[in-house]
Amino acid sequence: EIESSLLNEMVQHPEVKQALNDLDINPDDHRYLCELLDPDNGGTVSAVDFVHGLHRLRGDPRRSDIVNVNMMVRAMQVSISETHMSVLEVQSQVGRIERALALTAANRMPA
């Protein structure tokens, strides 16, 4: 595992910049390498994530890359919408339970 701070320092070295350029990694991506290669934002990049991430960053984006991201975003939108509907249903059920409990408590109070 590579700490993000170490990776940020390494990217500043001319030899590393040249190696990234030789791999056809866009120079604009160099400063964001940690964010791009750390899939879980855990502050470290595993060797596997590093290699796979660099492979994905090589060259210009292809149309298939853009379509793939678009499809993933749509799938996330559907999932978020479904989660939102579930949350609304739970809120409704909680409201019904609260009202039922309030009625039960009110009926138990002596007049």
Side-chain angles (χ1 to χ4, degrees):
E1 301 251 331
I2 303 169
E3 294 287 328
S4 295
S5 58
L6 177 60
L7 187 55
N8 281 331
E9 287 179 37
M10 291 171 50
V11 171
Q12 303 306 314
H13 291 280
E15 300 86 14
V16 175
K17 286 182 180 183
Q18 186 58 51
L20 292 170
N21 289 335
D22 291 345
L23 287 171
D24 199 21
I25 307 290
N26 187 324
D28 293 334
D29 291 337
H30 292 185
R31 64 183 139 164
Y32 303 110
L33 213 53
C34 280
E35 292 83 8
L36 295 169
L37 300 179
D38 185 4
D40 63 356
N41 292 323
T44 59
V45 178
S46 72
V48 171
D49 287 336
F50 184 79
V51 171
H52 286 138
L54 288 181
H55 180 71
R56 287 190 316 268
L57 287 172
R58 293 184 73 183
D60 292 327
R62 294 180 302 260
R63 183 171 178 81
S64 62
D65 296 330
I66 295 166
V67 169
N68 188 31
V69 168
N70 190 328
M71 291 173 64
M72 289 188 315
V73 168
R74 286 183 185 188
M76 288 174 57
Q77 287 173 326
V78 168
S79 179
I80 290 169
S81 179
E82 290 170 351
T83 301
H84 181 249
M85 295 303 292
S86 295
V87 167
L88 291 176
E89 178 61 31
V90 168
Q91 285 177 328
S92 175
Q93 291 174 1
V94 167
R96 286 193 296 266
I97 291 169
E98 287 175 337
R99 286 189 296 280
L101 287 173
L103 284 173
T104 303
N107 288 337
R108 290 188 177 189
M109 292 186 151

